[in-house]
Structure formats: structure tokens, C-alpha cells
């Protein structure tokens, strides 16, 4: 998920807020038209007039979403060479390739807002842009790959389905494409875990251990509680965010509890209990200290993840450069031949 | 500008999902030349049999209408309802025409 970043203060956000100063009459007219369009549930397209705050919020959200997809390749990539069978290896390769593809769809959507891809990538590498904190946890055993599919991609799907109806056309279309593919990610994860649960006691213990480690970070993926999420107002008004953090989190818990039962694992929360009155599962308090600690760069893998990304980018520089020089040479040759 | 700081140009990608249908815009990719733009478009947009044919066009070669000129461009058609078959009310016996 990735809209978590919506609720995290950043210098860019403050800029977006202050960009809404005094406006010309023309601009006020445009803004009224824009608000009416969004209220009618119409889409805004790339070249349409939009408030500067809307544009900046989208650039930040879409690019951070893209960064999350790209960084998200790392914890799973760690297991490609160690997958237990050829079948699982092929599946994992396809999944990691999908994550890369999702990053590409999203960067392309962000670029329609008038930003350069290289600038977005630089913001990630310099630490200025955030990505989902979930990827700063390590993948310690093979069951982690299954649990990431089941819980992390499951939480991502909950978060992303409402984005398919977001007011910005290019983002909504990218999300439709992504959601279709995420369903494969979640199902292959659950299938992997089912297989392990049919194995030895030791394998079942690995699954339980992975569930214990990923459960709370998965719940954190939905971002701070609604009462602490002071910045969602504009996003809701603009039709970027459709469902609140707490509502999505509750939906995820309600969907996941029965799945854990079928799988034969327990969820590490003694407070988890069905509330007849509410018709939902109650769950215990989330450790927000841990959440902010990881968001602010002190998770177990923050440094490694960013260092790996930067190294991959720098190692590829000569390839990008050579391809450009080659393309120039071909064009010159074609001109001479013509 | 050094080579390293030059970004690969942007290409718009259009895919025909199956014969009999139009190519439809689906997104964009960066690539140094047409051949690699096709290759990248294939990797990014057709991992699951989404297409049988791909077009790539340099983004800076696309000429688009101005969204602010929407009224001049498209409104003139609005008051010409006689261009639609439903404008003509025919006797019930032949109204399926």
C-alpha cells in the first residue's frame, strides 16, 4: 500500500498547503468548475486545469506508490535463488517482475502531471521521498514469501481497490491494471502457505513465525488512525482517497481472520475477538512508536534497501548512457544512408 | 548536459488486445530508440497476453487538442440532435427501423 504516505507530514506537503494562497478571479472560476467535476464523480485528465495542491498531492502519492513497488522487489528478490522448487521460483520471478511493472505504470502516471522520472527517482535515492515502511522488515524464511503475498499484498489490495475510482484518470487506470495482478500475488502466497502447512511440524512453525512477525506491520500499512490523520481532508474532498484508514484496516482484519483459521495459524493478538454488536472483529492497540520509528528510517532494513536501490541505479548508469549513444549513432547512420 | 544526466525519451504505448479491435492507449515507457521502446512496452504492458500488436510513438510527436478549447472543439455538435437516429419519432409499426 501505499497510500500510507498520505498521512505522513513532509516538506513537500507543507508546500502544497501554502500553494493555496490568494487566487485570481479566473483561477477561482476554474477551481469551482474543478470541484463540481470531482463532486459529480467525473475524471480529471492530464492536461485539465487542476489546483496546484491537487497536482502536488498526486505527484507525491503516485511517486511514493511507485517507489514502494520498486523497493518492494527487494525483500522478495532475496528468495528467488532459494525458492524450494522450479515452480515456486517461476511464480516468484513473475511476481517480482509484476512489482517492477507496477512501478513503471505508476511512474508513467506521475509523469503525466509534468514531472520528470529521473527527478522522482532522485528523490527516492536521496531519501527525500518515502516508500511504504513495510519493506523495511527482513524476509527471514521461505514462509515470509507466502505471508507477504497473503497479508502484505492482501492489505495492499484493500487499499488499492478504492484508488481504481480515484478522480485522476491516469492514476485510476494504472490502479485497475495493478489490482488485477495483485490478486495473483495474494493467492499464490496463500497457496504457498497452505502447502507448507501440509508439511512437517517444523514447516508449520516457520509459517506461524512469519505470521507473527508480519501481522502488526501489515495493520500499520493502512496508516495512522483517522483521528490522527489530519491531512486526509483535502484528499477526500478531491476524490483521491475514498475510504478512511480505520475503515480499510477493519475490512482487512474482518477478511483475514477466517483465512487464518482455514490456514491453521493464529494471529498474534490476544485482544482479537468478534464483536457481535458491531458485527466486526475487535483487535488490540497498534504500536505506533514502532511505526514512526520505521517510517523515520530506523527499521531493520531501511539502510540496506536504499543502498541496494542506489547501487542498482549507479551500476546501470553505463547501460543507460551506452544505449543513448548507440541510438544517436544509428540515427546519424540512417540520415547518411538516406 | 552529460550523457549520464540525459533521460531516455518518453514513448506512448498503444496495444491491440486482439485482431478486430483498435489499438488503445495504455501508458508510456522510456527508451533510447524505437526498437527498445517496443521491447520495454512488451515487458511492461503485455505480461499476460494483453496484446497481439504494439504501437509506440514518441510522446513529443503527439499533437493533442487543448483542454481549455473544449467548448469550441466539441460543443457545436451538442445542438445537432437531428444527427442521431433517436431524433426521429416514427409510427410504432416501423419504429424498430
Amino acid at each position: 500500500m501505499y497510500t500510507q504516505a498520505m498521512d505522513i507530514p513532509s516538506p513537500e506537503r507543507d508546500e502544497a498547503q501554502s500553494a493555496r494562497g490568494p487566487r485570481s478571479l479566473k483561477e477561482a472560476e476554474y477551481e469551482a468548475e474543478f470541484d463540481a467535476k470531482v463532486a459529480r464523480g467525473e475524471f480529471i485528465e492530464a492536461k485539465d486545469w487542476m489546483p496546484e495542491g491537487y497536482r502536488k498531492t498526486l505527484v507525491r502519492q503516485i511517486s511514493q506508490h511507485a517507489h514502494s513497488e520498486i523497493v518492494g522487489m527487494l525483500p522478495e528478490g532475496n528468495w528467488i535463488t532459494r525458492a524450494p522448487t522450479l515452480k515456486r521460483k517461476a511464480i516468484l520471478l513473475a511476481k517480482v517482475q509484476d512489482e517492477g511493472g507496477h512501478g513503471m505504470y505508476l511512474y508513467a502516471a506521475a509523469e503525466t502531471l509534468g514531472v520528470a522520472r529521473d527527478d522522482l527517482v532522485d528523490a527516492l535515492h536521496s531519501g527525500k521521498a518515502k516508500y511504504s515502511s513495510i519493506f523495511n522488515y527482513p524476509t527471514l524464511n521461505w514462509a515470509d514469501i507466502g505471508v507477504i503475498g497473503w497479508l502484505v499484498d492482501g492489505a495492499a489490495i484493500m487499499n488499492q481497490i478504492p484508488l481504481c475510482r480515484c478522480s485522476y484518470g491516469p492514476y485510476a487506470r494504472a490502479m485497475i491494471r495493478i489490482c488485477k495482478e495483485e490478486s495473483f500475488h495474494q493467492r499464490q502466497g496463500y497457496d504457498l502457505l497452505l502447502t507448507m502447512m501440509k508439511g512437517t511440524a517444523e514447516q508449520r512453525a516457520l509459517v506461524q513465525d512469519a505470521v507473527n512477525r508480519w501481522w502488526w506491520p501489515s495493520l500499520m500499512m493502512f496508516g495512522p488512525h483517522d483521528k490522527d490523520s489530519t491531512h486526509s481532508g483535502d484528499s477526500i474532498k478531491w476524490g483521491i482517497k475514498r475510504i478512511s484508514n480505520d475503515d480499510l484496516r477493519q475490512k482487512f482484519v474482518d477478511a483475514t481472520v477466517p483465512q487464518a483459521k482455514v490456514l491453521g495459524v493464529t494471529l498474534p493478538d490476544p485482544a482479537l475477538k468478534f464483536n457481535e454488536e458491531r458485527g466486526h472483529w475487535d483487535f488490540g492497540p497498534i504500536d505506533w512508536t514502532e511505526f514512526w520509528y520505521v517510517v523515520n528510517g530506523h527499521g531493520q532494513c531501511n539502510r540496506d534497501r536504499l543502498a541496494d536501490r542506489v547501487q542498482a541505479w549507479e551500476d546501470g548508469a553505463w547501460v543507460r548512457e551506452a544505449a543513448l549513444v548507440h541510438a544517436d549513432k544509428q540515427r546519424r547512420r540512417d540520415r547518411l544512408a538516406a | 548536459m552529460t550523457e549520464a544526466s540525459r533521460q531516455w525519451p518518453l514513448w506512448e504505448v498503444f496495444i491491440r488486445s486482439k485482431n478486430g479491435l483498435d489499438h488503445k492507449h495504455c501508458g508510456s515507457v522510456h527508451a533510447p530508440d524505437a526498437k527498445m521502446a517496443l521491447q520495454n512496452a512488451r515487458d511492461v504492458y503485455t505480461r499476460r497476453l494483453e496484446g497481439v500488436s504494439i504501437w509506440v510513438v514518441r510522446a513529443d510527436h503527439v499533437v493533442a487538442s487543448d483542454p481549455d478549447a473544449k467548448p469550441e472543439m466539441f460543443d457545436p455538435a451538442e445542438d445537432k440532435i437531428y444527427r442521431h437516429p433517436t431524433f426521429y419519432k416514427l409510427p410504432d409499426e416501423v419504429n424498430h427501423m
Side-chain angles (χ1 to χ4, degrees):
Chain A
M1 132 62 207
Y2 305 138
T3 49
Q4 162 196 297
M6 288 298 302
D7 303 302
I8 295 167
S10 75
E12 289 164 72
R13 159 174 295 286
D14 299 337
E15 230 174 86
Q17 299 285 322
S18 63
R20 313 178 72 203
R23 301 160 311 170
S24 67
L25 205 60
K26 190 80 187 153
E27 204 168 316
E29 209 174 284
Y30 276 142
E31 186 153 356
E33 196 186 317
F34 170 90
D35 288 344
K37 241 174 165 176
V38 171
R40 283 195 302 270
E42 286 175 30
F43 287 105
I44 305 299
E45 293 294 344
K47 297 274 167 59
D48 293 347
W49 186 90
M50 58 186 79
E52 193 49 20
Y54 177 81
R55 196 185 71 83
K56 282 191 169 155
T57 299
L58 279 172
V59 168
R60 199 183 75 255
Q61 179 170 335
I62 301 173
S63 63
Q64 293 187 349
H65 191 161
H67 300 330
S68 300
E69 299 283 357
I70 299 298
V71 177
M73 297 165 81
L74 297 170
E76 293 180 296
N78 186 37
W79 282 89
I80 291 174
T81 54
R82 281 170 266 186
T85 64
L86 185 57
K87 175 183 136 185
R88 292 291 172 193
K89 185 173 182 161
I91 293 170
L92 184 55
L93 267 170
K95 180 179 190 292
V96 173
Q97 193 191 12
D98 274 356
E99 308 295 5
H102 296 177
M104 297 301 116
Y105 306 156
L106 289 162
Y107 281 129
E111 285 176 280
T112 64
L113 293 158
V115 285
R117 170 130 15 153
D118 282 1
D119 292 340
L120 300 177
V121 171
D122 280 348
L124 171 68
H125 293 172
S126 68
K128 197 174 142 220
K130 298 246 186 285
Y131 55 88
S132 185
S133 53
I134 193 81
F135 302 117
N136 292 318
Y137 291 86
T139 41
L140 301 181
N141 76 55
W142 174 247
D144 286 43
I145 297 306
V147 171
I148 285 180
W150 173 39
L151 296 181
V152 175
D153 290 311
I157 292 172
M158 280 294 171
N159 256 306
Q160 290 172 352
I161 283 177
L163 288 173
C164 296
R165 292 184 292 120
C166 96
S167 61
Y168 188 57
Y171 190 27
R173 291 191 288 274
M175 289 317 303
I176 289 172
R177 203 173 270 279
I178 288 172
C179 283
K180 275 189 204 158
E181 300 182 351
E182 290 286 355
S183 176
F184 143 63
H185 296 180
Q186 190 185 20
R187 292 172 69 96
Q188 66 80 36
Y190 196 81
D191 178 74
L192 185 166
L193 297 174
L194 274 176
T195 308
M196 282 185 85
M197 291 303 284
K198 286 183 205 136
T200 62
E202 201 189 350
Q203 284 174 309
R204 281 191 290 278
L206 287 174
V207 174
Q208 185 62 59
D209 170 58
V211 170
N212 292 348
R213 283 181 289 108
W214 288 95
W215 173 249
W216 290 107
S218 299
L219 292 191
M220 293 176 200
M221 285 173 67
F222 296 91
H225 288 307
D226 297 344
K227 61 177 170 56
D228 306 318
S229 169
T230 49
H231 292 302
S232 332
D234 276 342
S235 284
I236 287 175
K237 185 188 91 181
W238 285 329
I240 298 173
K241 194 181 174 81
R242 300 268 184 201
I243 307 180
S244 83
N245 294 354
D246 283 329
D247 287 352
L248 285 169
R249 189 167 13 240
Q250 182 69 62
K251 246 176 114 171
F252 174 72
V253 173
D254 290 347
T256 308
V257 171
Q259 293 166 358
K261 204 171 161 210
V262 172
L263 192 58
V265 293
T266 57
L267 297 171
D269 179 1
L272 201 63
K273 192 170 174 286
F274 191 71
N275 184 326
E276 294 284 352
E277 208 176 298
R278 291 198 310 127
H280 293 291
W281 286 84
D282 287 337
F283 52 95
I286 292 170
D287 180 1
W288 294 110
T289 319
E290 175 183 321
F291 174 75
W292 289 110
Y293 194 70
V294 180
V295 167
N296 289 323
H298 311 296
Q300 291 180 65
C301 300
N302 294 56
R303 250 182 261 172
D304 284 353
R305 299 292 185 237
L306 211 51
D308 286 348
R309 275 315 311 153
V310 170
Q311 192 192 338
W313 182 254
E314 286 173 356
D315 287 352
W318 72 270
V319 179
R320 294 191 296 276
E321 204 175 312
L324 272 176
V325 173
H326 177 73
D328 287 345
K329 190 177 75 185
Q330 290 300 321
R331 262 193 300 277
R332 268 198 309 276
R333 282 191 185 162
D334 289 349
R335 264 203 304 276
L336 283 177
Chain B
M1 200 185 260
T2 66
E3 286 299 338
S5 66
R6 231 172 91 205
Q7 186 171 266
W8 284 359
L10 191 67
W11 302 72
E12 296 302 326
V13 180
F14 300 81
I15 292 185
R16 185 200 295 287
S17 54
K18 60 179 183 185
N19 277 9
L21 296 178
D22 296 326
H23 283 78
K24 201 174 144 196
H25 182 248
C26 66
S28 48
V29 293
H30 284 274
D33 57 30
K35 195 175 157 193
M36 278 191 69
L38 273 178
Q39 185 69 41
N40 289 349
R42 167 195 170 274
D43 289 348
V44 174
Y45 293 103
T46 64
R47 289 193 301 282
R48 287 182 178 76
L49 304 171
E50 289 94 336
V52 293
S53 163
I54 303 176
W55 289 348
V56 288
V57 181
R58 275 281 295 254
D60 53 6
H61 290 181
V62 174
V63 182
S65 63
D66 174 5
D68 281 341
K70 241 180 233 160
E72 304 90 289
M73 273 301 252
F74 303 108
D75 282 358
E78 234 171 38
D79 57 0
K80 296 182 180 64
I81 45 172
Y82 49 83
R83 289 185 174 176
H84 297 277
T86 46
F87 177 74
Y88 304 92
K89 179 74 189 132
L90 302 183
D92 284 350
E93 308 93 279
V94 293
N95 202 26
H96 60 271
M97 186 189 291

